[in-house]
Amino acid sequence: MNEYSFTLNNDVNIDEIATSGQCFRWKKVNSNLYIAPIGSYLLEVRKQVKNKSVVTIYSDMTDKKAKDFLLNYFNLNLDYQKIIDSIIFDPYVKVAVDKAYGLRVLNQDPLETIFSFMLSQNNTVLNVSRCIERICEKNEQIVLDKRLSYFPFPNIETLAKLTIKDYEEMKCGYRARYLNRIAETILKKKMNLERIKKLSSDKLRTKLMEFDGIGEKVADCIMLYSMRKSELVPMDTWVQKASIELYGLRKNCTNKEIREFYIQRFGKYAGWAHLFIFNHARKYSKQSKNIKDCFVNTK
DNA sequence: ACCCAGGAACGCA
DNA sequence: TGCGTTCATGGG
């Protein structure tokens, strides 16, 4: 077992990432330590002084491969400041970025992301996390030492062996049959999720939506958070409400209209703008009557 | 008891 | 196309 670490700058904010609703397995151990099974490995992020933190990966990889894995997962090869600069002309996005600087779109495993967002329909983030954990517990536990053990997300063979009844027992509710069927189909057709990433967003969306249980919104989340489609804007209830309030879109406008408004306005990283708006609205609008109030710069 | 949660399938107009 | 209903489960 190898242990590889490096320092992260303030453009990786693990508090915000862990609670942003794009990933479901990061756990807060204490105010300075977050931990998550990612892929087959275990990751830790320890906060240091001055907005810096150290990420550690426990794996059997060489240092170079481990580094590449982390760069890839956190999207560290992207120019964070440049992306932020391209979207904070918008006053509402600017407020959201100021509150959550270091929040970033991750590049996650497609299979785990498909399962996560299938579970997310008509569900809470907390509940999705619990279902994912139960599914992972069907996998073999990896024990690093007395302090560190974890269940990696299962591979497709393991997922396909689980029956509808198994998924129901894991409290996946009516989504159980979707999960069972998609696992069986991916395995049977030998679908290579890494390869289909290269398709255009429109073709990929069509392909994903052929699966029962994946609609437009879930497809867009899968593509944004695990397939490098940074321009996509998933049409969730928060963004629908926020868009009407913030940008004065018609009350009965279609999702397509909202999505095109975002792409027109924010361009290649519209999905990032969306994540900041979603994150901010979800976290702060419970304490105010309307969404717009929490986007007004209160400094 | 009721309502909602990062929706989607289904039936019907 | 568009709109209303229904779908498990958990929490407020």
Side-chain angles (χ1 to χ4, degrees), chain A residues 135 138 158-164 166-167 170 180 184:
Chain A
I135 292 171
K138 295 289 179 183
T158 306
L159 294 172
K161 274 184 206 146
L162 297 172
T163 63
I164 296 177
D166 289 329
Y167 286 113
M170 292 182 272
N180 167 264
E184 285 184 346

Side-chain angles (χ1 to χ4, degrees), chain A residues 70-82:
Chain A
L70 294 173
L71 292 178
N72 204 39
Y73 175 73
F74 286 109
N75 264 330
L76 295 176
N77 289 325
L78 297 177
D79 187 336
Y80 185 81
Q81 193 55 50
K82 193 171 167 187

Side-chain angles (χ1 to χ4, degrees), chain A residues 235-250:
Chain A
M235 278 307 122
D236 58 79
T237 51
W238 284 112
V239 173
Q240 287 163 345
K241 276 186 286 185
S243 305
I244 292 163
E245 280 194 37
L246 300 179
Y247 303 114
L249 297 180
R250 288 198 339 271

Side-chain angles (χ1 to χ4, degrees), chain A residues 55-289:
Chain A
V55 59
T56 303
I57 179 168
Y58 298 86
S59 78
D60 51 5
M61 293 186 282
T62 63
D63 284 359
K64 179 176 171 12
K65 283 207 167 179
K67 182 174 185 180
D68 285 346
F69 184 90
L70 294 173
L71 292 178
N72 204 39
Y73 175 73
F74 286 109
N75 264 330
L76 295 176
N77 289 325
L78 297 177
D79 187 336
Y80 185 81
Q81 193 55 50
K82 193 171 167 187
I83 293 170
I84 296 301
D85 287 343
S86 77
I87 58 178
I88 56 170
F89 68 88
D90 180 283
Y92 305 120
V93 171
K94 185 170 190 325
V95 169
V97 169
D98 286 344
K99 275 280 190 185
Y101 193 85
L103 173 60
R104 49 170 59 235
V105 170
L106 297 172
N107 181 37
Q108 305 182 74
D109 173 63
L111 183 60
E112 182 175 336
T113 307
I114 287 171
F115 266 62
S116 301
F117 282 95
M118 275 189 132
L119 283 163
S120 79
Q121 60 174 118
N122 202 29
N123 211 347
T124 56
V125 172
L126 178 62
N127 226 1
V128 173
S129 296
R130 288 170 176 165
C131 291
I132 298 282
E133 291 307 319
R134 290 187 203 107
I135 292 171
C136 292
E137 283 166 16
K138 295 289 179 183
N139 210 351
E140 226 168 283
Q141 187 176 28
I142 295 180
V143 179
L144 299 182
D145 58 45
K146 280 185 181 165
R147 184 177 65 95
L148 296 173
S149 63
Y150 62 100
F151 294 94
F153 189 79
N155 60 25
I156 188 65
E157 286 81 8
T158 306
L159 294 172
K161 274 184 206 146
L162 297 172
T163 63
I164 296 177
K165 191 164 192 173
D166 289 329
Y167 286 113
E168 283 172 348
E169 284 170 1
M170 292 182 272
K171 307 295 180 189
C172 297
Y174 68 91
R175 310 164 195 86
R177 60 193 176 93
Y178 300 151
L179 299 176
N180 167 264
R181 195 184 303 170
I182 196 169
E184 285 184 346
T185 306
I186 291 174
L187 181 64
K188 193 168 65 187
K189 291 190 175 173
K190 299 185 195 312
M191 277 183 68
N192 184 331
L193 298 178
E194 288 303 318
R195 200 170 47 204
I196 65 172
K197 277 187 190 177
K198 298 193 181 90
L199 295 173
S200 69
S201 301
D202 286 338
K203 283 190 176 166
L204 197 42
R205 184 184 294 111
T206 305
K207 210 170 191 50
L208 289 169
M209 285 176 64
E210 285 172 9
F211 289 106
D212 227 17
I214 299 185
E216 191 176 57
K217 187 269 173 185
V218 167
D220 282 4
C221 283
I222 292 166
M223 291 190 282
L224 175 62
Y225 299 130
S226 74
M227 295 177 171
R228 295 189 181 282
K229 303 298 184 191
S230 60
E231 80 283 8
L232 292 185
V233 182
M235 278 307 122
D236 58 79
T237 51
W238 284 112
V239 173
Q240 287 163 345
K241 276 186 286 185
S243 305
I244 292 163
E245 280 194 37
L246 300 179
Y247 303 114
L249 297 180
R250 288 198 339 271
K251 224 180 158 195
N252 57 349
C253 63
T254 63
N255 286 343
K256 193 177 174 194
E257 287 175 299
I258 304 178
R259 186 198 297 151
E260 279 166 5
F261 171 84
Y262 273 81
I263 292 179
Q264 184 77 20
R265 186 171 180 81
F266 296 105
K268 191 179 170 196
Y269 293 101
W272 287 58
H274 152 273
L275 178 62
F276 277 100
I277 289 174
F278 168 79
N279 182 60
H280 192 84
R282 194 168 73 93
K283 282 177 181 162
Y284 295 103
S285 70
K286 278 167 193 164
Q287 56 204 32
S288 60
K289 240 188 298 221

